[in-house]
Amino acid sequence: MLEKELWTIKYAPKKESDIVGNPNAVKVIKEFLTKWSSKNEIKALLLLGPPGCGKTSSTNVLAKLNRFDVIEINASDVRNKKSIEEKLIPSLATRTIKKGVNKLYLIDEVDGLSGNQDRGGLSAMLKMVKLSKFPIIFTANNVHDKKFRSLRDKRSGIKIVKFQKIKNPTIVKVLQKICIAEKIQADPKALTEIAINVNNDLRSAINDLQAVCEGKKKLTLSDVRKIQQVRDTEKNIFEVLNIIFKNKDIQTCNRAVSMLDIDWGLLLHWVNEILPYHKVSSRTLFKSYKALSKADLIYNAIASNPEKISWSMLPYFIDIISSGVSLPIKNENKSHFVQYFRYSPSNFLNKMYASRSGELMNIVNKIRKKLKSSPEEIITKHLPFIALILKKRSPQSEYLKKFYELDRREITFIKNII
Amino acid sequence: MHDLYGTTYKANIEEIFASDSKNFYYEYMPYWVEASKISLKRHGKSKSPSRIDILFTIIRNYPKTKTLDSADHKILIIYEADKLERIIQQALRRTMEKYSRICRFILVANSVSNIIDPIRSRCVNLKLFPLSQKQFLSKIKYICESEEINITENALKLIYYYSNNDMNIAINILEAASCYKKKITENFIYEMIKKLEIKEIGECLKLAISGNIVDARNFLRNLFIKKSLSGKMILKAFNKFLMESTITEELKKKISIEISKFDSYISVPSNNELQLSFFLTYLATLGIKD
C-alpha cells in the first residue's frame, strides 16, 4: 500500500522542541515574532541556508505557537512587480478576522525569482517591507547571489539569519524517531548510509527513508545501497573546487567533478579564476596552468564541434581538471587555503568583452564600406591610425568623420583604442 | 578594374570577403540574404540563412545572370580565398567552369596552400612580390609631393622600416603625422610610433616576470576589454616587446619557440585569456632579473 501522506509533512515539527539543529537561528526567529510590533526597526527576516535545513518548517512551527496566520508565497506563484502590487500590497492594509491572530508573510525561495517572468519582483518586495504592518520572512538558498545585494542593505530593514547544514548524527536521530513511530526495524548502519548520501539535507533524507521503506517493516543496508545509485546529489561548485584543491585522493576528485551539475565551461572559468591566488612557486603554477590549458583545448574542441569530435574525449577533460591541475599544488604545499570569493566575475567579464567586441565590429563594418580590406586588417592596420588622426583637431579629422559616417559614441570608442 | 569597366563597374563586379561574418551580409548585402532565403525555401527549409548559405547563393547565382550594359564579362572577386571553407571551394570549382562564358573569377589569397588543387589548376597563378625599398619610397614620395608634405629623408626610411613593407601602414602613419605637423622629421615619427605602442603590455610582462601573476592577469584582462584586442594581437605585441628588450639572445630564442606554441593554442578554438595567463606563468618560471 502506498502511503498517502509524505513523511516530510507527516513528521514535520509540531512543537518548538521538535526543531533540530540551528538553535541560534531559531532563537532569532522566535524573538522576532514574540516581540513583534509594527514600529520595530527590523520588519523582515531573510533566512539563508542550504535546502532541507529547516528554514520553512521552523518558521511554520514558531508562527503557529505565537498565534500568527502564515500566508505563503512560493516559487509556484507568479511573483512579478504587477502581481505583487495588485494582490499583496492591498492585503497589507487588512487584518485577519480571527481574534488575537496576526498575519505573517512567508515568501519562500526568493532566489527562485526568475529573471524574465518575475521582472521587478524583488524591488516590489522591498517596497512591501517598507509599507508592511505585518512581519515578513524571506527564505533563500544561494548566499552568493548578486541579486540579494539590495536585500542585504541595512537600510532595507531586513535582518539576515544564517542556517547551517544539519549534521549527520542529528539526521540519523530524526530518522530513528520516524522508524519507531512507523514501527520499522531499522539497521542503524542503513540509516547512517542514508544520512551520508543526502549531503546534510534532512528533507531528502526523510524522503529517501520513505522510498526505501515503502511496504516494508524491515530495513537493511543493502536496501539503501540500491537507492544510492539513483540519487546522485548535485554538488555546489564551491564544494567541488574545495575537493579539487584539497583532497589528495584522485578518485574522490574525479567523482566530485563528474557529479557536478553545471556547465563544464563554468568550472574551467572558476579554476582559472582562483588558480593564481595559490601561494606556490612559479614553477608549480606553471605546471598547473599547463594542465589547465590542455583541459581548455579539449573542452573547446568538444564544444565547438560536437559532431566530428566525439564526446569520448570528455573523460580526459575530467581527469585533467580534477587532478592534473591541482596535483602540483598539492605536492608542494600542504596548507594552502584559498578563500573563494566574488560571484562568477569571469562570466561577467566575458559578457562585457562580447558587447565591446560587438561595438568594435560595427565600426569596422562601417569603415569597410569605404575601404577594401578584411576586418582583421582594419583592426590592426587602420584603426590605430584613424584614432591618432581623430585625436588631433584638424581638417583631416573632420573629413574622416564625415567620410566614414562616424557618430560621437563611435569616435570616443575609437579614441580609447590607443 | 575601374579603367576597364568605367561607369559599368558597379553593375558587373561583385566583391566578397571570405572572413565576413553573417551580420555583415545582413547589413550591407541584404539582396544576397533575400536571394538565399528564396533558394532555401525552394529546398523546403525556412530557417534564416547562415553565412555559408549566403556564400553558396552568391557563388551559385551570381555567375548565372547576364552581364549588364553590354560588358563582355562579369567579375566575381573573392578576397581571402584561402579562408574559404572546403565545401564552398568545391562549389566554386563547378561554377568556375560552367559559366566561364559569362563570369570570370579573381581570387586573392595570402597563401596558396589552403586552396584546393582543382581550383588552383583552373586558375592562372600570379604571385605578387613585396615592393623593393626603392619602389616603396618613390611611392611615398609621390604622395608627399601631391599632398604638399615636407618630410626628411631619414623620416622616410624610418617609415619604411616601421611599416615592414606594408603600404597600408606607411600611408596611414604618414597621414596621421601630417595632421599634427607640417614638417615631419625623424624624431616626430618616433613620437608617433611611441604613441601607438600599448603601455600595458610592458607593465603586464614586467609583473609576470617578477612572479605577480594575479596583477599581471588583471592587466591582461584590461587589454582584452578596454582596448578590445584579440588574443593574437596581444601575443604579437608580447613577442615584439620581448624581442626588443634587453634579455639574452639565448632566452629570446627559447621564448620565441614557446610563443609559437602559444600561437597555435590560440588559433584553435580556446579561451584566449586562459591561454595567455598560462603564457604569463611561463615567463615567471624563467627567473629573469630585470
mmCIF file of all heavy atoms in Angstrom, chain B residues 53-69:
data_model
loop_
_atom_site.group_PDB
_atom_site.id
_atom_site.type_symbol
_atom_site.label_atom_id
_atom_site.label_comp_id
_atom_site.label_asym_id
_atom_site.label_seq_id
_atom_site.Cartn_x
_atom_site.Cartn_y
_atom_site.Cartn_z
ATOM 1 N N ASP B 53 25.335 29.566 -46.176
ATOM 2 C CA ASP B 53 24.218 29.585 -47.118
ATOM 3 C C ASP B 53 24.330 30.766 -48.063
ATOM 4 O O ASP B 53 24.122 30.644 -49.282
ATOM 5 C CB ASP B 53 22.885 29.680 -46.348
ATOM 6 C CG ASP B 53 22.594 28.406 -45.590
ATOM 7 O OD1 ASP B 53 23.071 27.363 -46.046
ATOM 8 O OD2 ASP B 53 21.914 28.481 -44.560
ATOM 9 N N ILE B 54 24.660 31.924 -47.490
ATOM 10 C CA ILE B 54 24.737 33.134 -48.300
ATOM 11 C C ILE B 54 25.873 33.018 -49.315
ATOM 12 O O ILE B 54 25.709 33.339 -50.504
ATOM 13 C CB ILE B 54 24.931 34.370 -47.409
ATOM 14 C CG1 ILE B 54 23.725 34.546 -46.496
ATOM 15 C CG2 ILE B 54 25.113 35.617 -48.255
ATOM 16 C CD1 ILE B 54 23.973 35.498 -45.363
ATOM 17 N N LEU B 55 27.023 32.523 -48.837
ATOM 18 C CA LEU B 55 28.157 32.379 -49.751
ATOM 19 C C LEU B 55 27.815 31.427 -50.905
ATOM 20 O O LEU B 55 28.147 31.690 -52.058
ATOM 21 C CB LEU B 55 29.381 31.863 -48.994
ATOM 22 C CG LEU B 55 30.167 32.913 -48.220
ATOM 23 C CD1 LEU B 55 31.244 32.257 -47.392
ATOM 24 C CD2 LEU B 55 30.790 33.919 -49.168
ATOM 25 N N PHE B 56 27.136 30.339 -50.549
ATOM 26 C CA PHE B 56 26.711 29.400 -51.581
ATOM 27 C C PHE B 56 25.844 30.090 -52.633
ATOM 28 O O PHE B 56 26.032 29.915 -53.830
ATOM 29 C CB PHE B 56 25.897 28.268 -50.945
ATOM 30 C CG PHE B 56 26.714 27.044 -50.666
ATOM 31 C CD1 PHE B 56 26.713 26.452 -49.422
ATOM 32 C CD2 PHE B 56 27.488 26.475 -51.658
ATOM 33 C CE1 PHE B 56 27.470 25.325 -49.159
ATOM 34 C CE2 PHE B 56 28.252 25.347 -51.407
ATOM 35 C CZ PHE B 56 28.243 24.780 -50.143
ATOM 36 N N THR B 57 24.876 30.872 -52.133
ATOM 37 C CA THR B 57 23.960 31.536 -53.057
ATOM 38 C C THR B 57 24.701 32.475 -53.981
ATOM 39 O O THR B 57 24.410 32.524 -55.184
ATOM 40 C CB THR B 57 22.912 32.336 -52.273
ATOM 41 O OG1 THR B 57 22.638 31.670 -51.083
ATOM 42 C CG2 THR B 57 21.656 32.522 -53.075
ATOM 43 N N ILE B 58 25.646 33.219 -53.419
ATOM 44 C CA ILE B 58 26.388 34.152 -54.260
ATOM 45 C C ILE B 58 27.149 33.383 -55.333
ATOM 46 O O ILE B 58 27.090 33.700 -56.525
ATOM 47 C CB ILE B 58 27.367 34.987 -53.416
ATOM 48 C CG1 ILE B 58 26.609 35.863 -52.421
ATOM 49 C CG2 ILE B 58 28.234 35.859 -54.320
ATOM 50 C CD1 ILE B 58 27.503 36.598 -51.474
ATOM 51 N N ILE B 59 27.848 32.361 -54.900
ATOM 52 C CA ILE B 59 28.694 31.641 -55.847
ATOM 53 C C ILE B 59 27.866 30.913 -56.899
ATOM 54 O O ILE B 59 28.242 30.838 -58.064
ATOM 55 C CB ILE B 59 29.617 30.676 -55.085
ATOM 56 C CG1 ILE B 59 30.728 31.487 -54.424
ATOM 57 C CG2 ILE B 59 30.209 29.622 -55.996
ATOM 58 C CD1 ILE B 59 31.547 30.719 -53.455
ATOM 59 N N ARG B 60 26.706 30.417 -56.510
ATOM 60 C CA ARG B 60 25.896 29.681 -57.479
ATOM 61 C C ARG B 60 25.140 30.608 -58.423
ATOM 62 O O ARG B 60 24.988 30.302 -59.603
ATOM 63 C CB ARG B 60 24.882 28.809 -56.752
ATOM 64 C CG ARG B 60 25.500 27.509 -56.299
ATOM 65 C CD ARG B 60 24.483 26.701 -55.561
ATOM 66 N NE ARG B 60 25.106 25.562 -54.921
ATOM 67 C CZ ARG B 60 24.671 25.029 -53.792
ATOM 68 N NH1 ARG B 60 23.631 25.558 -53.175
ATOM 69 N NH2 ARG B 60 25.264 23.992 -53.283
ATOM 70 N N ASN B 61 24.640 31.714 -57.887
ATOM 71 C CA ASN B 61 23.711 32.513 -58.680
ATOM 72 C C ASN B 61 24.343 33.682 -59.419
ATOM 73 O O ASN B 61 23.878 34.059 -60.478
ATOM 74 C CB ASN B 61 22.591 33.048 -57.792
ATOM 75 C CG ASN B 61 21.729 31.920 -57.286
ATOM 76 O OD1 ASN B 61 21.576 30.919 -57.965
ATOM 77 N ND2 ASN B 61 21.210 32.058 -56.091
ATOM 78 N N TYR B 62 25.379 34.254 -58.855
ATOM 79 C CA TYR B 62 25.932 35.448 -59.497
ATOM 80 C C TYR B 62 26.426 35.166 -60.908
ATOM 81 O O TYR B 62 26.111 35.914 -61.832
ATOM 82 C CB TYR B 62 27.029 36.049 -58.619
ATOM 83 C CG TYR B 62 27.574 37.328 -59.175
ATOM 84 C CD1 TYR B 62 26.821 38.501 -59.106
ATOM 85 C CD2 TYR B 62 28.805 37.363 -59.803
ATOM 86 C CE1 TYR B 62 27.291 39.677 -59.638
ATOM 87 C CE2 TYR B 62 29.289 38.532 -60.339
ATOM 88 C CZ TYR B 62 28.526 39.687 -60.257
ATOM 89 O OH TYR B 62 28.986 40.838 -60.792
ATOM 90 N N PRO B 63 27.184 34.071 -61.116
ATOM 91 C CA PRO B 63 27.679 33.823 -62.474
ATOM 92 C C PRO B 63 26.593 33.477 -63.476
ATOM 93 O O PRO B 63 26.825 33.537 -64.682
ATOM 94 C CB PRO B 63 28.615 32.624 -62.292
ATOM 95 C CG PRO B 63 28.950 32.612 -60.857
ATOM 96 C CD PRO B 63 27.742 33.095 -60.167
ATOM 97 N N LYS B 64 25.405 33.102 -63.014
ATOM 98 C CA LYS B 64 24.374 32.643 -63.950
ATOM 99 C C LYS B 64 23.690 33.796 -64.673
ATOM 100 O O LYS B 64 23.158 33.602 -65.759
ATOM 101 C CB LYS B 64 23.317 31.842 -63.198
ATOM 102 C CG LYS B 64 23.790 30.470 -62.776
ATOM 103 C CD LYS B 64 22.670 29.746 -62.073
ATOM 104 C CE LYS B 64 23.181 28.482 -61.420
ATOM 105 N NZ LYS B 64 22.167 27.897 -60.549
ATOM 106 N N THR B 65 23.645 34.952 -64.059
ATOM 107 C CA THR B 65 22.869 36.044 -64.651
ATOM 108 C C THR B 65 23.664 36.779 -65.726
ATOM 109 O O THR B 65 24.888 36.724 -65.762
ATOM 110 C CB THR B 65 22.448 37.044 -63.557
ATOM 111 O OG1 THR B 65 23.609 37.375 -62.806
ATOM 112 C CG2 THR B 65 21.408 36.444 -62.671
ATOM 113 N N LYS B 66 22.929 37.501 -66.565
ATOM 114 C CA LYS B 66 23.558 38.143 -67.728
ATOM 115 C C LYS B 66 24.372 39.364 -67.333
ATOM 116 O O LYS B 66 24.133 39.974 -66.280
ATOM 117 C CB LYS B 66 22.474 38.567 -68.711
ATOM 118 C CG LYS B 66 22.259 37.578 -69.816
ATOM 119 C CD LYS B 66 21.444 38.220 -70.907
ATOM 120 C CE LYS B 66 21.473 37.378 -72.157
ATOM 121 N NZ LYS B 66 20.632 37.954 -73.191
ATOM 122 N N THR B 67 25.304 39.723 -68.178
ATOM 123 C CA THR B 67 26.059 40.949 -67.946
ATOM 124 C C THR B 67 25.191 42.157 -68.265
ATOM 125 O O THR B 67 24.262 42.078 -69.064
ATOM 126 C CB THR B 67 27.315 41.004 -68.825
ATOM 127 O OG1 THR B 67 26.881 40.828 -70.186
ATOM 128 C CG2 THR B 67 28.285 39.926 -68.460
ATOM 129 N N LEU B 68 25.538 43.270 -67.677
ATOM 130 C CA LEU B 68 24.767 44.492 -67.890
ATOM 131 C C LEU B 68 25.554 45.467 -68.764
ATOM 132 O O LEU B 68 26.775 45.433 -68.806
ATOM 133 C CB LEU B 68 24.461 45.139 -66.548
ATOM 134 C CG LEU B 68 23.469 44.366 -65.667
ATOM 135 C CD1 LEU B 68 23.506 44.920 -64.266
ATOM 136 C CD2 LEU B 68 22.085 44.411 -66.240
ATOM 137 N N ASP B 69 24.848 46.310 -69.414
ATOM 138 C CA ASP B 69 25.463 47.368 -70.219
ATOM 139 C C ASP B 69 26.434 46.818 -71.255
ATOM 140 O O ASP B 69 27.508 47.378 -71.491
ATOM 141 C CB ASP B 69 26.191 48.384 -69.325
ATOM 142 C CG ASP B 69 25.202 49.146 -68.481
ATOM 143 O OD1 ASP B 69 24.036 49.260 -68.914
ATOM 144 O OD2 ASP B 69 25.578 49.593 -67.395
#
